[in-house]
Amino acid sequence: MKKILSIALIGLLTCGALLAGCGGDKKSDPKAAGDKTKVAFVYVSSAKDGGYSMAHELGRQYVEKNMPNVQASYIESVPEGADSERVITQLASQGNKVIFTTSFGYMDPTINVAKKYPDIAFLHCSGFKTAPNVGNYFGRMYEARYVTGIVAGKETKSNVIGYVAAFPIPEVIRGINAFTLGAQSVNPDVQVKVLWTNTWYNPATEKQAAITLIDAGADVIAQHQNTPGPQQAAEERGKYGIGYNVDMSANAPKASLTAAIWNWGPYYEETIKQVQNGTWKAGAYWGSMKDKVVDIAPYGPAVSDATKKLADAAKADIIAGTQKVFTGPLHDQSGAEKVPAGTTLTDKELLSMDWFVKGVDGKIQN
């Protein structure tokens, strides 16, 4: 996803614009656009990675399907750093009016290129910097994490849930805490074991981490990783899984309970429309379940009707604003009160979260 996506998240609230387009293995070649608005996307991994980049690619395809006046293209597997700046510059020189750079490590390259092309709208996913023609965007994935935690908490039999985690950054920590709180809301005895991989995209490593957690007693595997490796491990071991980024049930049809997913299409469509009609302004966008930017995947066959009812009710309350995920009383792993009763964490506090809630078995190691 966005390597080292973290701490940078402190500025996340974003606004956007986007691209759409054709595809290709390494990159898609834009054709003569005519009167169409040309937009482009840059992916850090394959558009078919089964996770993070695929979620953005599905958003691009949504634009392509619903906006006949837009030509969308993408370039995939672009390393962060100098290579990305070269690719972004290339896209800017090809007549694209909106460029979406979807990995955290693209933030500074995006800012650099934008200075040279002031008439192009640049949208960067997961970062915190903006400029007159650069916005950033992300979503409140912790809301979906909470709901999927309810599903896991109800379906576990061992009361041990494994969580394969990428990096100990606020975004990931926030998701683990939300997931744990959701599970605890229906099963106070739940323990969430965290295993760090220090990877975003390494199928073999992430799958092995899930196996390690299963061997430690976990009968449900959740993840903040960009590959379906952990879900495949759950499938092979006869356990349950909670996916991430996209619906991963195709990779683990028996194991899949649901997934915390991105739904970028409507956001991309709206952003492009704003650029087209001249109303787009650079800013920060942090979308929610209410905005439908984040959601949960369809329930798997193993999820009981009673569990579905509980999860659906929580989702409805979050969307209605009557339930806030991080409202006190909340305690950390030592039992110390971190959030008093009746108090809700601010966005600033959420974006800098560096502690685990009680019930998480794991350490935050930088």
Side-chain angles (χ1 to χ4, degrees):
M1 162 175 149
K2 356 105 200 164
K3 298 182 176 180
I4 310 179
L5 190 201
S6 95
I7 313 167
L9 287 178
I10 302 192
L12 226 135
L13 288 69
T14 310
C15 149
L18 175 64
L19 319 26
C22 52
D25 226 345
K26 172 64 180 171
K27 80 178 187 180
S28 56
D29 296 320
K31 298 178 181 179
D35 294 331
K36 292 186 176 182
T37 300
K38 293 180 65 176
V39 300
F41 296 80
V42 184
Y43 304 147
V44 73
S45 53
S46 167
K48 299 178 181 179
D49 68 359
Y52 182 75
S53 290
M54 178 181 282
H56 288 286
E57 170 60 7
L58 291 173
R60 186 196 68 80
Q61 291 176 13
Y62 177 96
V63 169
E64 196 170 50
K65 178 180 179 180
N66 291 281
M67 301 186 75
N69 63 343
V70 170
Q71 175 186 305
S73 64
Y74 69 85
I75 298 183
E76 61 187 351
S77 302
V78 178
E80 296 170 328
D83 281 349
S84 66
E85 186 161 338
R86 175 183 57 78
V87 169
I88 297 166
T89 299
Q90 174 187 332
L91 292 171
S93 69
Q94 292 175 342
N96 288 291
K97 297 302 182 184
V98 188
I99 297 177
F100 294 92
T101 58
T102 64
S103 187
F104 178 75
Y106 297 158
M107 180 172 64
D108 287 337
T110 300
I111 293 290
N112 293 340
V113 177
K115 294 176 183 177
K116 304 172 186 176
Y117 295 90
D119 295 330
I120 296 175
F122 294 83
L123 283 302
H124 176 253
C125 184
S126 78
F128 57 92
K129 294 183 179 180
T130 61
N133 61 327
V134 182
N136 61 61
Y137 64 101
F138 207 53
R140 297 178 185 272
M141 182 54 74
Y142 65 87
E143 294 179 342
R145 295 282 190 194
Y146 182 90
V147 179
T148 61
I150 291 175
V151 176
K154 288 297 293 183
E155 300 305 326
T156 180
K157 300 298 186 293
S158 68
N159 287 335
V160 177
I161 299 172
Y163 203 112
V164 185
F167 293 92
I169 60 177
E171 178 204 353
V172 181
I173 294 167
R174 189 169 61 245
I176 293 169
N177 284 340
F179 178 86
T180 303
L181 292 173
Q184 290 175 338
S185 73
V186 295
N187 185 349
D189 297 325
V190 158
Q191 179 185 60
V192 177
K193 285 183 174 291
V194 175
L195 185 57
W196 301 105
T197 65
N198 292 313
T199 64
W200 286 116
Y201 188 84
N202 189 317
T205 296
E206 293 151 20
K207 183 176 181 179
Q208 183 55 52
I211 292 173
T212 299
L213 288 166
I214 291 170
D215 289 343
D219 64 352
V220 179
I221 295 295
Q223 66 178 80
H224 193 130
Q225 303 283 179
N226 296 340
T227 79
Q231 302 307 297
Q232 293 167 335
E235 178 88 357
E236 293 173 9
R237 290 298 189 92
K239 307 302 180 182
Y240 291 133
I242 301 287
Y244 175 50
N245 288 310
V246 297
D247 182 356
M248 292 182 166
S249 60
N251 296 284
K254 295 180 181 178
S256 179
L257 296 176
T258 185
I261 63 173
W262 296 103
N263 180 31
W264 291 118
Y267 166 78
Y268 284 144
E269 179 182 27
E270 177 59 27
T271 299
I272 294 169
K273 285 181 178 179
Q274 290 177 7
V275 173
Q276 289 175 323
N277 62 31
T279 61
W280 179 80
K281 294 181 179 180
Y285 172 81
W286 202 8
S288 63
M289 290 192 86
K290 182 178 181 179
D291 298 336
K292 299 182 180 179
V293 169
V294 298
D295 203 346
I296 65 170
Y299 299 114
V303 181
S304 70
D305 289 340
T307 297
K308 292 177 184 178
K309 185 175 181 180
L310 288 169
D312 288 345
K315 176 180 173 179
D317 288 343
I318 289 173
I319 291 174
T322 57
Q323 179 171 341
K324 302 291 184 181
V325 173
F326 291 106
T327 295
L330 298 178
H331 299 81
D332 66 15
Q333 289 171 302
S334 71
E337 184 176 79
K338 296 290 288 187
V339 185
T343 299
T344 300
L345 290 179
T346 65
D347 283 350
K348 182 178 180 180
E349 290 169 327
L350 290 175
L351 291 167
S352 59
M353 185 171 279
D354 61 356
W355 54 276
F356 277 144
V357 298
K358 187 174 184 180
V360 176
D361 180 3
K363 296 181 179 180
I364 299 174
Q365 300 172 327
N366 295 314

